Amino acid sequence: MYKDDLLAGKKVLVTGGGTGLGRSMAEHFRRLGAAVVICGRRQDVLAQTCEEVNARDDAPEMTWKGCDIRDAQAVHDMVEAIWSDGPLDVLVNNAAGNFISRSHELSSRAVDAVLGIVLHGTSYVTLACGKRWLAGEHAGNVLSIVTSYAWTGSAYVLPSAMAKAGVLAMTRSLAVEWGPHGIRLNAIAPGPFPTKGAWERLVPRPELAERFEQKNPLRRAGRHEELTNLACYLISDQSGYVNGEVVTIDGGEWLQGAGQFNFLSEMTDGDWEAIKPKKK
Ligand SMILES: CCCCCCCCCCC/C=C/C(=O)SCCNC(=O)CCNC(=O)[C@H](O)C(C)(C)COP(=O)(O)OP(=O)(O)OC[C@H]1O[C@@H](n2cnc3c(N)ncnc32)[C@H](O)[C@@H]1OP(=O)(O)O
Ligand SMILES: NC(=O)C1=CN([C@@H]2O[C@H](COP(=O)(O)OP(=O)(O)OC[C@H]3O[C@@H](n4cnc5c(N)ncnc54)[C@H](OP(=O)(O)O)[C@@H]3O)[C@@H](O)[C@H]2O)C=CC1
């Protein structure tokens, strides 16, 4: 879809890039010429991902840093190390934590577990990079992966909904504050994209997965390359005038839930015939 060198010369950090959508994005960025660094807590997972990906071809080497983004000092150390051989160009805030729970049953530690990763961790990494971009007068680009319930809210994933709303607010706030310095911030709001991490934590019963994947106008889940293509565009210079935007990629799922009459897609042909005005 893109020229092979779309991202050549760009250094990109993908948080949570060892698994799932983060890994898919990291692989695609690398194929388009970016020098990609992935981070996460599980070093064995990161090392294995890099080994598998780097063995495939001679695109720029993908590297990894073990880092728990909830730990501001660890984030500082990681970002310093990344900057030691030249500034980063792109940060992709992808790392997240989530699970389903009835909200009145959440413990304070459960709330903190999700807010700590998604809200605090994401802001630590973004601020650590932004400070360096501003000090070095270097153009920067931040892409955050949120979700469509960042603006609608959602039952049963309360801490995630609160945290993703915060990340969206960060995106819009900093897009204005840092735009004059050549730093852009955008977000992607995905619908269902099957990954082990999400499905293990969010699908209560296997048969519900299929129902969930089909509850959008396109009647299917997203394909990883559909999301990674969008991410490549947003982190490339081709999207240079897009700033403070959130792009939804959900097959129309959230709109389907919004329109008051959308449920009429359940009506049969007979139902529609029956309500047609009778010709005299
Ligand atoms: C119906 C079909 C649905 C299909 C899905 C479609 C997708 C739709 C869009 C969803 C949008 C967002 C998606 C995502 O973000 S997916 C990302 C999923 N990946 C991850 O979550 C990876 C990282 N996650 C984790 O590491 C853990 O899950 C966790 C977030 C819990 C953090 O781990 P940590 O080790 O820090 O936490 P602890 O295990 O020590 O637990 C801390 C406290 O949290 C309580 N807890 C943990 N899990 C649950 C649970 N399932 N329910 C209630 N409470 C939970 C735990 O008990 C601890 O509290 P206490 O000490 O008080 O017991
Ligand atoms: N899959 C989907 O349908 C949807 C996903 N999303 C979003 O997409 C993104 C990716 O999710 P997905 O790929 O499905 O899930 P994964 O569970 O595969 O990815 C989450 C990643 O975050 C990393 N991570 C978690 N906590 C931390 C931490 N404290 N420090 C550093 N890294 C951390 C994990 O690695 P480790 O555990 O080793 O730290 C893991 O690699 C998330 O932002 C999610 O909210 C949004 C909407 C829908």
Side-chain angles (χ1 to χ4, degrees):
M1 175 164 172
Y2 298 114
K3 285 189 180 157
D4 290 349
D5 63 351
L6 181 78
L7 302 175
K10 291 205 185 293
K11 192 168 160 185
V12 182
L13 169 62
V14 181
T15 67
T19 65
L21 293 174
R23 174 174 173 161
S24 296
M25 285 188 281
E27 289 188 36
H28 202 158
F29 300 158
R30 174 181 172 273
R31 283 201 300 278
L32 296 179
V36 181
V37 186
I38 58 175
C39 79
R41 294 166 299 178
R42 289 167 298 162
Q43 303 202 1
D44 54 334
V45 170
L46 297 167
Q48 195 183 334
T49 294
C50 285
E51 198 183 310
E52 287 170 12
V53 170
N54 289 328
R56 227 172 263 157
D57 51 44
D58 56 4
E61 190 186 8
M62 188 189 289
T63 57
W64 61 270
K65 304 260 180 251
C67 177
D68 184 338
I69 62 166
R70 294 172 298 186
D71 177 347
Q73 184 61 47
V75 168
H76 173 270
D77 294 347
M78 171 180 70
V79 171
E80 279 287 291
I82 289 172
W83 246 262
S84 66
D85 62 355
L88 187 77
D89 300 292
V90 179
L91 163 65
V92 179
N93 287 315
N94 164 80
N98 199 2
F99 51 78
I100 48 170
S101 174
R102 292 189 292 190
S103 299
H104 68 277
E105 291 176 335
L106 287 167
S107 69
S108 56
R109 272 176 44 80
V111 172
D112 291 350
V114 175
L115 289 178
I117 304 170
V118 182
L119 185 61
H120 295 262
T122 302
S123 63
Y124 297 159
V125 187
T126 306
L127 294 176
C129 293
K131 281 173 192 168
R132 285 165 181 78
W133 283 325
L134 292 171
E137 296 181 12
H138 188 83
N141 190 337
V142 180
L143 176 64
S144 296
I145 309 302
V146 295
T147 160
S148 50
Y149 60 62
W151 57 89
T152 61
S154 175
Y156 308 115
V157 282
L158 176 68
S160 172
M162 293 166 65
K164 294 289 192 182
V167 173
L168 190 53
M170 178 192 80
T171 300
R172 290 172 170 153
S173 306
L174 292 178
V176 173
E177 190 172 337
W178 290 353
H181 302 279
I183 303 170
R184 295 191 290 131
L185 292 96
N186 292 294
I188 292 178
F193 282 80
T195 65
K196 187 165 180 283
W199 262 228
E200 273 180 4
R201 292 173 176 87
L202 303 176
V203 178
R205 280 189 271 120
E207 67 272 21
L208 287 180
E210 200 182 339
R211 223 173 87 190
F212 187 87
E213 289 163 21
Q214 296 189 353
K215 80 173 187 53
N216 65 71
L218 300 186
R219 305 285 187 261
R220 66 168 174 88
R223 301 181 185 115
H224 282 214
E225 70 271 18
E226 292 171 330
L227 184 140
T228 64
N229 274 324
L230 175 60
C232 289
Y233 168 69
L234 288 172
I235 70 161
S236 78
D237 297 336
Q238 299 302 314
S239 62
Y241 204 51
V242 184
N243 187 29
E245 195 50 74
V246 55
V247 182
T248 305
I249 176 163
D250 71 346
E253 180 194 35
W254 88 269
L255 276 176
Q256 175 165 297
Q260 285 185 310
F261 288 91
N262 291 350
F263 73 98
L264 293 188
S265 58
E266 290 169 18
M267 298 237 301
T268 63
D269 288 346
D271 290 334
W272 286 115
E273 283 305 320
I275 59 167
K276 274 187 183 165
K278 303 280 174 279
K279 297 267 169 12
K280 297 204 175 108

